[in-house]
Amino acid sequence: MKVSFLHLWGSRLWICLALYLTFLRCGHTDRPIESNDFDSLQLNDFVEKDFPFISTSLDARNLGDHFPKDNLVARGLAFPLSDDVYACFDTDLLRWSVGWTGPYLPMVLLPQVSYHDFFDKSNDVPRIKGHAVFANGSYPGWSSQQMIHQEVRPEHQNREGFYWGAIPTGYGRWDGVYLHGEHAVLTYSIGSTRIHELPGAIASTAGPIFTRSVKVAESGDVLYLNAAEVTTGASGEENGPLAYIRQSSLSDTVTAVAAKADDGQVYPVRLVENRYLSVEFPASTSERTVTVFVWKGPESAIGHFNEAVRANVPEWPAFETGGPSRWKDEVYTKGQCAADTTAFVIDVLTLPLPNPWGRDLRPADIAFLTGTKAAVVTLSGDVWLVDGISQSLDRLQWTRFASGLFEPMSIAVLNQTIYVYGKGGITALHDLNNDGEADFYENFSNAMEQSIESREWATDRAVAPDGSFYIAKGGTAIGGPGVTPQVTPGFRAGSNQSGTVVNISPDGLGATVVATGFRVPYLGIRDDGLVSATDQQGNFVPSTAIYLVDQGDFFGVPATRHSASGQLAKQPLAWIPHRVDRSASSQIWVTGDKMGPLNGALLHLSFGRPGIFNVLIDTTSQGLQGGVTYIRGNYVAPTINGAMGPSDGQLYIAGLNLFGSNSTGIAAIQRLRYTGKPSYMLSAFKAGSEGVVLMFDSPLDEVSARNIANYQFKRWNYKRTEQYGSGHFRLDGTPGEEVLPVLDAYVSPDRTRVFLLVPDMKAVDQVEVMYDLRAHNGKLIKDGFWFSMYHTEALDLARYGFGPVDFGKLNLSREEIDAMIKTDFPVTVDRGRELFATKGCLGCHSTGRRTEGMYGPPFQGIYGSKVELADGATVTVDEAYLRESILEPSKKVVKGYQPEMPSYQGVLSDADIESIILYITTLYR
């Protein structure tokens, strides 16, 4: 057979074209994505039609007259079973909470409302909008030996009449979900009996029928599956593998349940109290496969229902060996490396946006699998893998690994297994067939309690040296619609583990509360197991705090104390002023020896500022005290969580924007990289009764260091009250800050240390030292240091290389000290503009009309206007209202906003307030 040259060339041309198009589709191009433009990003829907479930909570208490009223799901999986047919499985109670037809769930959870509108915080509790077909109340979906139709969770899981968390493992345990194409196979245990379940639905002439095909392992006990509850059952029929309940007020309407076994054995459906329909599974020495059918319709159509049951033959996928790949494409990006201009710089790992799935990607955390490969978890519930993490970041390969997780905020890797912590618990992700995608989402632990409240966030996790996990849980701060009652100003009840740090045992089965009294905690852990934490300013939390955590600690929020103890709140290692960091996030202890002056340091991540602080710890004979200094850098998005790179030893940080941050960036993975250039940062301090020693990374210019005019020293206390945040108070309790003069400055022989001689040094919550110095080479060092001083023992200055000090200068009266301090400032627009920016106003209020990402109303044109308040009243925005709002911000809150502004009492002087108001009056265009 002869083949012409032209025909052969044409065939090769088509092959080359096909290969080229394949390369384009898969992302194999020489032009990787180099930057992300969120403004022009085109995203598909949050719900991906080819993925078999979404994780969710659900309020199903108001489905109608015939359905149970105690039906809340805190941790659930919602399945689209066929066109317009859905069901929700409660992983805590191992039950089908509700099956319905019509629309899917409304997309009202926080990751969903912000999926396209990145600053939308108007989240709600999901409630079905379709037509409920059947439901089950708040009791186990299965039971052993006897039927159970009541709550079985112990009283310690009850708060304000609501039970939260999983049923005791003696009743059953959620084990996870397998994915295989369009199918999701549930797996759980009832007692010691393993169950696999394939949810489904079939169409019939009688209407949609819900199917639950279950493989039940051998069992020495009889088991019962609770299939449906009808609270208004008038009468019913029970006939072997079929039973139904007639509904009292619906003419000719029944709820029916049937059971059909593959081997032909009869599994009776029990009718209990004309209310419950339960399937009985007799004891057996072998595995059984049985399909349970649930249907609602006219009694006259029972025959059609039976026909559909007889005709149905469920097909089980080979789920235990892994499913087909669903995300075959790869996306390549090129990172952005900063120039090595300073000791520490910020590089950016460009995200795979856009991508073939039109998927949002807002990273919450990162964990490394190898030196060049990491796993990234997103707020939307996805896990991505990124490979090729090198010094240059020139070719990053991104692939999708998992999806459908419930508001995950942290990720960890242990023995090459990825663990994700979200509201659903800690999930271990397994790739069963090594195709680069997770096939089994194993429940490593759901031992922690979780309420339905949106702000009982699963904020953070830390892995301990013994393989256990420390987890942090949000304190159910009020920020939108909820379910549980308000228990104190600013807080709903939530669960009995809201606002706590909990230790999860290495096997995932045990949960021990370690510390309570948090508002929104995040964690850090040192290699030796020392746990640190942060908390965010709010009600009962005066300002951002850094803590060292010990068993039994209480950190000040009454709503999350969870005990009747009168224990006092533990002092933080350090307070941070609101204007310096108004919203804390996680912490990282630097490991390895590749971060130069930060080796071994505790780093504090800030969402609000955003950026990274170095935490300095002062060890005294009476205890620890600490402070923070900011690591300057071009942070392109908020910083939330991160990990040390195992190969390069640098810090990688994930973060996304949503709540108020000074950053306008939407999301990023950033790398804090040490360049080897000189550092001019403050690296240590020692505070005592005579003043404070400041220690720098590089030698200082002695002339500038000795000039006392280059230092400003302030101090103040906070008050922990039910109000949001705290004003500033002098040591005598009156509002205001105390300015102390620096009487002299001494420089150590190596010029890396300065001792500031300061009078009247006393224990105080907050000290601020601002300095404007030069290094030995003329480099400007203009920065600040904020620390807490609880202990004022005498300083051993000789230890730090200082010679004789004239301590006689400290013998000043308070009047003499005050006379040395200039505290009066002119009232001007320029000063108001400066204060508006430096005191934190700009982070929450736009000077234009921007509202997205803002906590407070915009100020352009607000002066002289009338605004509606949350209580429905109207007020004119004049000088009196603005002054009141600055000093008592929760008194008259503008409609649509939460009372989440701290008082500036004592923070701003009368002249400061007048300057800010004068500036606001100019914002009329």
Side-chain angles (χ1 to χ4, degrees):
M1 178 179 179
K2 294 183 179 181
V3 179
S4 70
F5 174 79
L6 184 62
H7 180 81
L8 183 62
W9 174 248
S11 297
R12 288 179 176 175
L13 182 62
W14 279 110
I15 292 171
C16 291
L17 180 59
L19 289 172
Y20 175 69
L21 292 174
T22 300
F23 264 55
L24 284 180
R25 180 179 60 81
C26 295
H28 295 281
T29 73
D30 292 328
R31 296 179 61 84
I33 299 168
E34 296 189 18
S35 62
N36 301 133
D37 182 1
F38 283 87
D39 289 337
S40 63
L41 198 59
Q42 298 295 313
L43 299 172
N44 291 333
D45 293 338
F46 179 88
V47 175
E48 297 183 284
K49 293 183 178 179
D50 61 346
F51 196 79
F53 68 86
I54 62 169
S55 298
T56 190
S57 56
L58 181 64
D59 183 351
R61 293 175 297 172
N62 297 299
L63 301 177
D65 294 338
H66 311 283
F67 300 98
K69 303 303 181 185
D70 55 344
N71 194 353
L72 288 170
V73 181
R75 298 187 281 211
L77 302 180
F79 303 98
L81 301 176
S82 65
D83 290 342
D84 301 324
V85 180
Y86 309 95
C88 180
F89 183 83
D90 182 340
T91 62
D92 282 334
L93 290 172
L94 306 179
R95 63 175 178 137
W96 278 37
S97 165
V98 58
W100 74 97
T101 59
Y104 203 8
L105 289 175
M107 296 295 104
V108 295
L109 293 174
L110 189 64
Q112 298 164 352
V113 297
S114 64
Y115 186 76
H116 293 94
D117 183 353
F118 305 120
F119 292 103
D120 189 348
K121 303 180 286 289
S122 59
N123 59 281
D124 202 347
V125 180
R127 300 170 181 86
I128 68 169
K129 292 185 176 180
H131 174 69
V133 176
F134 71 94
N136 289 284
S138 184
Y139 42 81
W142 290 71
S143 58
S144 174
Q145 300 183 31
Q146 61 180 347
M147 281 184 276
I148 296 176
H149 297 114
Q150 71 254 0
E151 182 64 72
V152 299
R153 287 172 287 193
E155 277 303 305
H156 67 75
Q157 291 178 234
N158 181 341
R159 191 172 190 202
E160 301 293 334
F162 296 92
Y163 288 84
W164 304 114
I167 56 176
T169 54
Y171 288 93
R173 186 177 188 271
W174 169 241
D175 293 324
V177 57
Y178 291 89
L179 301 186
H180 195 287
E182 63 182 7
H183 299 290
V185 177
L186 316 179
T187 178
Y188 46 89
S189 300
I190 304 303
S192 60
T193 304
R194 174 63 60 88
I195 310 289
H196 292 98
E197 176 172 349
L198 178 65
I202 56 176
S204 75
T205 55
I209 300 172
F210 295 81
T211 65
R212 302 180 60 179
S213 188
V214 292
K215 293 182 181 292
V216 182
E218 62 274 12
S219 171
D221 296 318
V222 61
L223 303 177
Y224 296 93
L225 181 156
N226 291 324
E229 176 183 354
V230 179
T231 60
T232 58
S235 61
E237 301 289 339
E238 180 182 310
N239 184 14
L242 170 69
Y244 57 87
I245 300 174
R246 300 180 183 92
Q247 298 184 6
S248 60
S249 61
L250 292 178
S251 176
D252 194 35
T253 299
V254 298
T255 296
V257 172
K260 174 185 171 184
D262 283 5
D263 60 5
Q265 182 178 347
V266 173
Y267 288 82
V269 180
R270 301 301 186 190
L271 172 62
V272 181
E273 300 173 3
N274 284 329
R275 179 167 183 154
Y276 306 101
L277 292 167
S278 300
V279 182
E280 181 179 311
F281 290 78
S284 175
T285 57
S286 61
E287 181 181 80
R288 298 142 290 168
T289 300
V290 179
T291 301
V292 176
F293 303 82
V294 185
W295 167 79
K296 181 179 178 180
E299 186 172 359
S300 58
I302 284 286
H304 297 295
F305 171 61
N306 278 325
E307 289 174 6
V309 168
R310 286 192 294 270
N312 181 261
V313 181
E315 295 184 10
W316 280 75
F319 61 91
E320 292 181 299
T321 57
S325 298
R326 65 180 72 243
W327 306 303
K328 297 180 181 179
D329 292 352
E330 301 160 349
V331 183
Y332 288 86
T333 70
K334 181 177 181 179
Q336 304 167 27
C337 290
D340 294 355
T341 55
T342 58
F344 293 94
V345 296
I346 301 296
D347 304 327
V348 178
L349 281 67
T350 306
L351 301 174
L353 296 169
N355 54 66
W357 309 279
R359 193 67 175 165
D360 186 4
L361 199 160
R362 292 174 290 164
D365 195 7
I366 182 171
F368 280 84
L369 289 151
T370 68
T372 63
K373 187 175 184 179
V376 175
V377 68
T378 76
L379 179 65
S380 303
D382 298 336
V383 174
W384 292 69
L385 303 182
V386 52
D387 203 353
I389 300 174
S390 63
Q391 177 77 9
S392 64
L393 305 176
D394 59 347
R395 192 167 179 82
L396 301 171
Q397 175 187 322
W398 295 81
T399 54
R400 290 185 68 181
F401 184 71
S403 190
L405 299 163
F406 194 5
E407 295 185 25
M409 290 297 292
S410 59
I411 192 168
V413 174
L414 277 76
N415 301 320
Q416 293 302 295
T417 297
I418 296 172
Y419 294 80
V420 175
Y421 172 47
K423 286 186 175 179
I426 300 175
T427 303
L429 300 171
H430 301 279
D431 179 1
L432 301 177
N433 53 11
N434 296 316
D435 66 350
E437 298 177 16
D439 306 289
F440 179 42
Y441 294 37
E442 178 195 4
N443 169 37
F444 172 76
S445 181
N446 62 349
M448 70 294 292
E449 293 181 24
Q450 177 65 49
S451 79
I452 200 171
E453 297 297 344
S454 64
R455 292 201 177 186
E456 191 170 326
W457 287 303
T459 53
D460 204 0
R461 63 86 203 103
V463 183
D466 65 356
S468 65
F469 286 80
Y470 287 92
I471 61 168
K473 292 178 56 59
T476 60
I478 292 176
V483 170
T484 62
Q486 180 173 331
V487 291
T488 67
F491 290 90
R492 297 187 188 278
S495 79
N496 284 310
Q497 291 179 356
S498 64
T500 65
V501 170
V502 179
N503 181 257
I504 303 298
S505 61
D507 61 5
L509 298 177
T512 303
V513 174
V514 175
T516 66
F518 289 101
R519 181 175 181 268
V520 186
Y522 284 82
L523 296 176
I525 191 166
R526 200 165 64 183
D527 283 348
D528 62 359
L530 176 66
V531 177
S532 56
T534 67
D535 207 356
Q536 298 181 356
Q537 183 189 61
N539 303 84
F540 301 99
V541 183
S543 199
T544 294
I546 298 174
Y547 296 105
L548 297 180
V549 179
D550 293 305
Q551 180 69 46
D553 284 343
F554 167 64
F555 291 111
V557 176
T560 60
R561 179 193 291 273
H562 304 303
S563 75
S565 170
Q567 178 184 8
L568 296 176
K570 184 177 180 178
Q571 285 180 321
L573 175 69
W575 292 105
I576 308 176
H578 173 75
R579 67 177 179 83
V580 176
D581 179 18
R582 57 194 171 88
S583 185
S585 44
S586 189
Q587 298 177 325
I588 306 292
W589 290 85
V590 176
T591 56
D593 59 357
K594 298 181 180 179
M595 289 292 279
L598 293 181
N599 288 338
L602 171 60
L603 302 183
H604 165 89
L605 306 187
S606 167
F607 177 89
R609 187 172 178 119
I612 306 173
F613 290 86
N614 187 12
V615 181
L616 310 182
I617 300 176
D618 177 17
T619 303
T620 77
S621 63
Q622 303 171 63
L624 301 178
Q625 53 197 16
V628 298
T629 184
Y630 187 60
I631 302 173
R632 297 187 179 275
N634 181 27
Y635 300 98
V636 300
T639 54
I640 296 180
N641 215 329
M644 301 300 300
S647 291
D648 62 10
Q650 307 304 292
L651 175 60
Y652 291 78
I653 318 120
L656 62 117
N657 215 332
L658 183 53
F659 293 90
S661 171
N662 293 343
S663 172
T664 58
I666 303 301
I669 295 176
Q670 303 171 79
R671 176 172 67 185
L672 179 70
R673 176 168 55 86
Y674 176 53
T675 66
K677 289 187 173 296
S679 169
Y680 303 96
M681 293 188 302
L682 185 69
S683 57
F685 81 106
K686 187 71 179 177
S689 57
E690 304 90 355
V692 60
V693 178
L694 304 178
M695 299 171 238
F696 292 85
D697 288 330
S698 294
L700 302 172
D701 170 68
E702 188 166 0
V703 174
S704 70
R706 289 182 61 88
N707 185 353
I708 60 174
N710 290 336
Y711 304 94
Q712 297 177 13
F713 198 100
K714 285 184 182 180
R715 70 182 178 192
W716 62 88
N717 280 324
Y718 297 108
K719 289 186 178 180
R720 190 185 294 273
T721 72
E722 66 182 26
Q723 298 301 315
Y724 194 97
S726 171
H728 293 180
F729 299 90
R730 301 182 185 93
L731 271 63
D732 64 4
T734 59
E737 301 169 343
E738 294 180 346
V739 179
L740 297 181
V742 175
L743 302 177
D744 209 342
Y746 296 83
V747 181
S748 65
D750 66 0
R751 293 179 291 163
T752 62
R753 303 179 181 93
V754 178
F755 168 60
L756 303 182
L757 187 68
V758 181
D760 197 32
M761 291 287 282
K762 295 179 179 177
V764 68
D765 290 336
Q766 192 76 73
V767 178
E768 175 183 83
V769 181
M770 305 300 296
Y771 47 86
D772 189 349
L773 308 173
R774 289 191 179 275
H776 67 100
N777 58 4
K779 174 74 174 179
L780 183 65
I781 307 176
K782 186 174 184 179
D783 217 327
F785 177 52
W786 300 269
F787 67 97
S788 296
M789 187 169 67
Y790 308 123
H791 314 296
T792 55
E793 59 193 22
L795 295 172
D796 181 4
L797 295 175
R799 176 184 176 186
Y800 298 100
F802 295 102
V805 173
D806 184 3
F807 292 114
K809 294 181 179 181
L810 295 175
N811 298 322
L812 297 173
S813 67
R814 184 68 238 186
E815 290 74 17
E816 291 173 310
I817 293 172
D818 291 340
M820 300 175 67
I821 302 166
K822 173 180 169 55
T823 58
D824 58 319
F825 293 95
V827 176
T828 66
V829 171
D830 287 342
R831 177 155 176 77
R833 181 185 295 108
E834 177 188 0
L835 290 167
F836 195 89
T838 60
K839 296 299 183 180
C841 311
L842 195 57
C844 292
H845 298 276
S846 167
T847 57
R849 297 191 182 279
R850 179 188 171 202
T851 58
E852 61 178 21
M854 297 284 114
Y855 272 98
F859 277 171
Q860 182 174 326
I862 197 171
Y863 187 77
S865 68
K866 292 185 182 295
V867 295
E868 184 179 358
L869 303 179
D871 62 3
T874 301
V875 66
T876 298
V877 180
D878 54 16
E879 292 185 23
Y881 173 73
L882 289 173
R883 176 179 288 274
E884 182 182 60
S885 296
I886 291 170
L887 298 177
E888 299 179 83
S890 61
K891 194 170 184 178
K892 296 177 182 176
V893 180
V894 175
K895 183 179 180 179
Y897 295 91
Q898 296 295 323
E900 296 183 341
M901 174 179 164
S903 169
Y904 280 80
Q905 184 181 36
V907 182
L908 300 171
S909 67
D910 286 342
D912 291 340
I913 294 173
E914 290 177 27
S915 293
I916 290 175
I917 292 173
L918 185 60
Y919 170 61
I920 292 174
T921 65
T922 68
L923 302 175
Y924 56 87
R925 292 184 179 178

